[in-house]
């Protein structure tokens, strides 16, 4: 027997362990069998079973007592609940009666409302059907009216049809048929088949004939009428696309195979077979046939392009009142462009250029002769398209424009101008209205001309590089060098002279470089882009010439005797240096003439490139000639600083002669300003040197008096070589110094006191130094400025002259003189030191005339 767990109390569970017996899956039979099979003795098994039975009996009795107590305790509550349930049943019966009455009332009310509603729905359905029938009748009536109107506008026989109004009527008919479901109506189907469709086809054919005829005759009215009809019919985009494709197909037939190499050779043979001249004047080559056929192709393109241009112009002028692309009153061109993807002329031009480029490139791939003809005559190839196609390519004249142009920025419109610098200038001389920035010209250049332009520029650069290479041939082989040395020994010729001859390029070859550059620029002058690229190639060729020249100059100047003005004999390679500089000067002169030709000027970008090249050449010439001039200048200045040494004057005279004969006379570049500055500095430096020459004996006076005119004459000769006259304060001071040397102390004191205009060229500091030199010569105990400062005579002379040969301006080494020396004002410092010398000389016993001379010098303003 199974015992349920819901009758067990916590007290019983705590006292007896009935977990196994209370398990819902407890099986009494299985439990008994398990108890019997246990290993316990029979007595233990009996006792265990008796114990379990006793517990169960006690539990059952306890449970019965508890149930009886529970029923007795809850009887009153149960009775009360039974009474409550009875009252609830009565209430529910009342509610049920009320609900039944409400249902009856709602049913009556529903009957009163639903019947009229269903009748209203039926009436509405009938009205809708009547309205639909009325609409079909009205649409059919209107359709028949439009058909009768169409029959009047396009009569079957007699009368002049009005296709423009007929097109509007056809559009109304199509719109009516599309918006109204008239299919299946016999009268409508019959009218569409017999009246509308034939007349629609007739109208479309007439519009196409008007369009084709107007385009052929360039008659904008006919083109406009045809476009108006096609637009009213709603087929304008398809019709325009058909016309473009027909034009392209016709040109494709004309162009394809026209310049095939085999066809060209056949044309040459046929033409020459018809030649009748005995001397063959009327015979032609493949290039003539090629250019003739290309011209025929371009003429056909022009004729077809003008027709398409008229079509686009009329499309642009005619307007539509509908909104297209969010714009009111859009033109027919906007409508067509939105359908086709681009403007009419732009689409046509792109495909035509592709056809021409494909044919030309195929011919060039098959025949190198054709490629060579087109590449070598690239300017003529450009002129083949322009100015013939200027009406099509010039955007300002209504030529090819693209929707992409209108939507792009200014930077993208000027494609290619940054590379060539052609923006703002006339790109093509033969077609001033065409720019490379125009869309049509960009397409032509990108897809056809760019390849030939690059090859032409490369060939032009190669030709110019070859002319430069001829100026500097490769060195002879070793055997030829040995033969030249043997020949030089036999004829008593120095090897340096042979090297000098081989170092300098021939002037005719240099002139050929300029001619080559001029020829290439002249051929490319009509095209600003091409001319600029050729000018840059010319600049690179000239740069290579200058680089080679520079290398040769460096190799020549490695020998210090080449630029030594004091050498006993001039080195032969000195003339080679001058010759190399003169070659670069010849190039500069030639480039200067090319920058501004007399007949037809170059384009602004090409002129800018050549002017930059010319300025670079001038800089190189100045730098290389300055090497020789600086060498002569240092040697002459060094000699003049130590002119009291009789041998150094001969060095100065020799250096001046070297400057004149070896540098200035053979030098082509005019360095007038530099030479004038140099001669002035020599004269001024010599005057300073004369003023500080000590001791100033009679012999020294005579020597200086004779050297002054020699220096004046040498400087005058050197300056006259450059076309400069020796004038100015330096020249006047030299002329005035000679009489000052032979004046007595009284006469000199009188000159210092009066200081007339005739002595104004000699500076005050020179006069003071001269006075110090005179007094020091007569009074051996007297001091001189450089001894007072503790410096050398050369340093003092450098300070007086402001010469670059003084390593430091701080030459004062006497602490007592530091208060007089100001490195920021050398002139004032030197004057203060000279005046201090004169004041110290006054402390010695001097002759009266010397005292008067010093006082006159100190009082001089």
């Amino acid at each position: 027997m199974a015992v349920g767990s819901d009758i067990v109390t916590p007290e019983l569970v705590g006292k007896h362990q009935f977990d196994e017996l209370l398990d819902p899956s407890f099986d009494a039979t299985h439990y008994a069998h398990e108890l019997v099979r246990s290993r316990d003795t029979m007595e233990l098994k009996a006792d265990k079973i008796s114990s379990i039975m006793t517990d169960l009996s006690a539990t059952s009795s306890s449970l019965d007592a508890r149930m009886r107590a529970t029923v007795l305790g809850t009887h009153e509550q149960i009775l009360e609940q039974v009474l409550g349930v009875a009252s609830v049943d009565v209430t529910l019966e009342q509610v049920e009666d009320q609900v039944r009455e409400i249902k009856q009332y709602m049913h009556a009310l529903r009957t009163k409302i639903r019947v009229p509603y269903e009748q209203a729905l039926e009436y509405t359905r009938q009205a809708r059907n009547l309205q639909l029938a009325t609409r079909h009748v009205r649409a059919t009536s209107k359709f028949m009216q439009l058909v009768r109107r169409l029959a009047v506008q396009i009569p079957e026989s007699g009368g002049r049809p009005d296709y423009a109004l007929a097109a509007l009527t056809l559009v109304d008919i199509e719109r009516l048929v599309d918006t109204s479901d008239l299919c299946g109506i016999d009268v409508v189907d019959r009218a569409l088949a017999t009246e509308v469709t034939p007349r629609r086809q007739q109208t479309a054919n007439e519009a196409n004939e008007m369009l084709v005829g107007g385009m052929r005759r360039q008659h904008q009215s006919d083109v406009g009428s045809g476009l108006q009809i096609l637009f009213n019919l709603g087929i304008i985009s398809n019709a325009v696309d058909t016309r473009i494709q027909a034009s392209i197909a016709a040109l494709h037939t004309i162009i394809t195979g026209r310049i095939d190499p085999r066809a060209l050779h056949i044309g040459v043979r046929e033409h020459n077979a018809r030649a009748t001249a005995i001397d063959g004047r009327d015979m032609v080559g493949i290039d003539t046939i090629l250019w003739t056929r290309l011209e025929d192709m371009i003429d056909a393109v022009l004729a077809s392009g003008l027709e398409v241009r008229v079509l686009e112009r009329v499309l642009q002028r005619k307007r539509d009142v509908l909104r297209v692309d969010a714009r009111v009153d859009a033109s027919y061109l906007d409508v067509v462009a939105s359908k086709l993807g681009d403007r009419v002329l732009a689409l046509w031009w792109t495909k035509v250029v592709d056809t021409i480029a494909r044919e030309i490139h195929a011919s060039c791939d098959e025949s190198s002769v054709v490629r060579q003809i087109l590449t070598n005559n690239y300017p003529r190839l450009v002129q083949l398209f322009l100015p013939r196609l200027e009406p099509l390519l010039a955007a300002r004249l209504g030529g090819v424009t693209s929707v992409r142009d209108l939507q792009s920025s200014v930077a993208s419109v000027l494609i290619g101008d940054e590379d060539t610098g052609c923006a703002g200038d006339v790109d093509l001389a033969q077609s001033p209205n065409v720019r490379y920035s125009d869309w049509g010209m960009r397409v032509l250049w990108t897809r056809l001309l760019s390849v030939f332009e690059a090859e032409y520029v490369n060939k032009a650069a190669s030709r110019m590089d070859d002319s430069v290479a001829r100026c500097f041939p490769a060195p002879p082989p070793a055997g030829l060098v040995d033969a030249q040395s043997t020949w030089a020994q036999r004829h008593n010729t120095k090897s340096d002279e042979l090297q000098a001859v081989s170092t300098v390029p021939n002037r005719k070859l240099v002139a050929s470089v300029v001619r080559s550059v001029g020829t290439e620029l002249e051929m490319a002058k009509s095209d600003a882009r091409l001319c600029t690229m050729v000018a840059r190639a010319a600049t690179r060729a000239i740069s290579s010439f200058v680089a080679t020249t520079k290398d040769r100059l460096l190799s020549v100047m490695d020998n210090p005797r080449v630029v030594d003005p004091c050498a006993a004999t001039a080195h032969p390679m000195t003339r080679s240096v001058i010759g190399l500089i003169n070659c670069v000067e010849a190039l500069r002169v030639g480039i200067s003439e090319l920058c501004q030709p007399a007949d037809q000027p170059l384009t602004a970008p090409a002129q800018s490139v050549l002017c930059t090249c010319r300025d670079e050449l001038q800089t190189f010439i100045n730098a290389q000639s300055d090497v020789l001039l600086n060498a002569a200048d240092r040697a002459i200045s060094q000699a003049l600083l130590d002119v009291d040494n009789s041998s150094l004057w001969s060095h100065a005279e020799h250096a001046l002669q070297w400057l004149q004969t070896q540098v200035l006379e053979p030098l082509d570049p005019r360095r007038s300003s530099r030479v004038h500055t140099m001669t002035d500095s020599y004269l001024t430096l010599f005057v300073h040197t004369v003023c500080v020459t000590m001791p100033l004996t009679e012999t020294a006076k005579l020597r200086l008096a004779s050297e002054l005119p020699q220096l004046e004459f040498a400087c005058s000769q050197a300056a006259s070589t450059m076309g400069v006259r020796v004038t100015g304060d330096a020249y006047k001071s030299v002329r005035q110094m000679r009489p000052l040397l032979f004046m007595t102390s009284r006469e000199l004191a009188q000159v210092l006191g009066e200081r007339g205009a005739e002595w104004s060229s000699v500076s005050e500091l020179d006069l003071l130094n001269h006075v110090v030199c005179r007094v020091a010569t007569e009074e051996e105990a007297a001091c001189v400025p450089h001894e007072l400062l503790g410096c050398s005579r050369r340093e003092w002379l450098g300070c007086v002259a402001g010469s670059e040969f003084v390593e430091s301006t701080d030459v004062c080494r006497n602490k007592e003189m530091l208060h007089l020396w100001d490195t920021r004002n050398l002139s004032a410092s030197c004057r203060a030191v000279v005046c201090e010398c004169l004041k110290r000389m006054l402390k010695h016993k001097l002759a009266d005339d010397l005292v008067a001379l010093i006082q006159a010098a100190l009082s001089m303003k």
Side-chain angles (χ1 to χ4, degrees), residues 626-787:
D626 281 342
V627 174
L628 300 172
L629 296 178
N630 291 338
D633 190 29
R634 283 193 299 270
I636 296 170
S637 299
Q638 289 281 4
L640 293 179
L641 283 172
D642 295 325
V643 74
D644 55 340
N645 188 341
S646 58
S647 61
L648 292 178
W649 165 247
S650 61
H651 293 168
E653 186 178 14
H654 184 77
L656 278 169
Q657 185 179 5
W658 181 87
L659 173 65
Q660 178 184 348
T661 58
Q662 299 297 320
V663 178
L664 298 180
E665 289 180 356
L667 187 65
D668 289 343
R670 300 290 90 186
R671 303 300 308 277
S672 305
S673 177
R674 175 67 192 278
V675 172
H676 187 271
T677 303
M678 289 170 60
T679 54
D680 276 359
S681 65
Y682 300 154
L683 295 174
T684 303
L685 183 59
F686 191 76
V687 169
H688 292 322
T689 306
V690 169
C691 293
V692 299
T693 300
M694 170 35 180
L696 192 61
T697 60
E698 292 298 326
T699 304
K701 290 181 181 181
L702 291 175
R703 182 174 63 83
L704 294 175
S706 64
E707 290 175 354
L708 280 171
Q710 294 177 21
L711 176 64
E712 177 188 349
F713 178 76
C715 292
S716 177
Q717 288 294 107
S720 62
T721 307
M722 292 284 107
V724 180
R725 294 184 60 187
V726 179
T727 56
D729 292 340
Y731 174 74
K732 293 179 181 179
S733 62
V734 170
R735 301 296 298 269
Q736 293 174 358
M737 183 52 64
R738 268 188 299 176
L740 287 177
L741 290 174
F742 298 101
M743 284 184 180
T744 62
S745 299
R746 289 182 184 279
E747 293 173 345
L748 185 57
Q750 185 177 1
V751 168
L752 295 178
E754 297 176 357
R755 192 72 190 282
E758 64 274 13
W759 308 106
S760 59
S761 298
V762 182
S763 66
E764 177 184 355
L765 189 57
D766 289 337
L767 292 175
L768 292 176
N769 272 306
H770 183 61
V771 171
V772 171
C773 182
R774 281 203 172 203
V775 176
T777 301
E778 297 187 11
E779 298 292 335
E780 296 181 0
C783 61
V784 291
H786 65 272
E787 294 178 355

Side-chain angles (χ1 to χ4, degrees), residues 22 63 96 107-108 195 207 211 378 424 431 447 449 501 515 539 555 571 613 662 691 745 758 761 765 795:
L22 294 177
L63 179 61
E96 184 178 358
H107 181 71
E195 300 290 339
L211 179 62
Y378 172 73
S431 298
R447 307 192 181 189
L449 298 180
V501 173
R515 285 196 302 271
T539 301
S555 64
H571 198 278
C613 177
Q662 299 297 320
C691 293
S745 299
E758 64 274 13
S761 298
L765 189 57
E795 290 175 332

Side-chain angles (χ1 to χ4, degrees), residues 284-311:
V284 298
I286 188 174
D287 55 341
T288 304
I289 300 298
L290 173 62
W291 290 113
T292 302
R293 295 192 175 186
L294 284 175
E295 290 174 359
D296 295 340
M297 290 166 49
I298 299 305
D299 290 340
V301 170
L302 176 61
S304 180
L306 292 176
E307 296 178 2
V308 178
R309 189 184 71 162
V310 170
L311 174 61

Side-chain angles (χ1 to χ4, degrees), residues 568-589:
T569 57
H571 198 278
M573 295 302 292
T574 305
R575 289 299 183 98
S576 298
V577 174
I578 298 298
L580 291 172
I581 296 175
N582 290 340
C583 289
V584 180
E585 172 65 13
L587 270 183
R588 188 197 66 80
V589 173

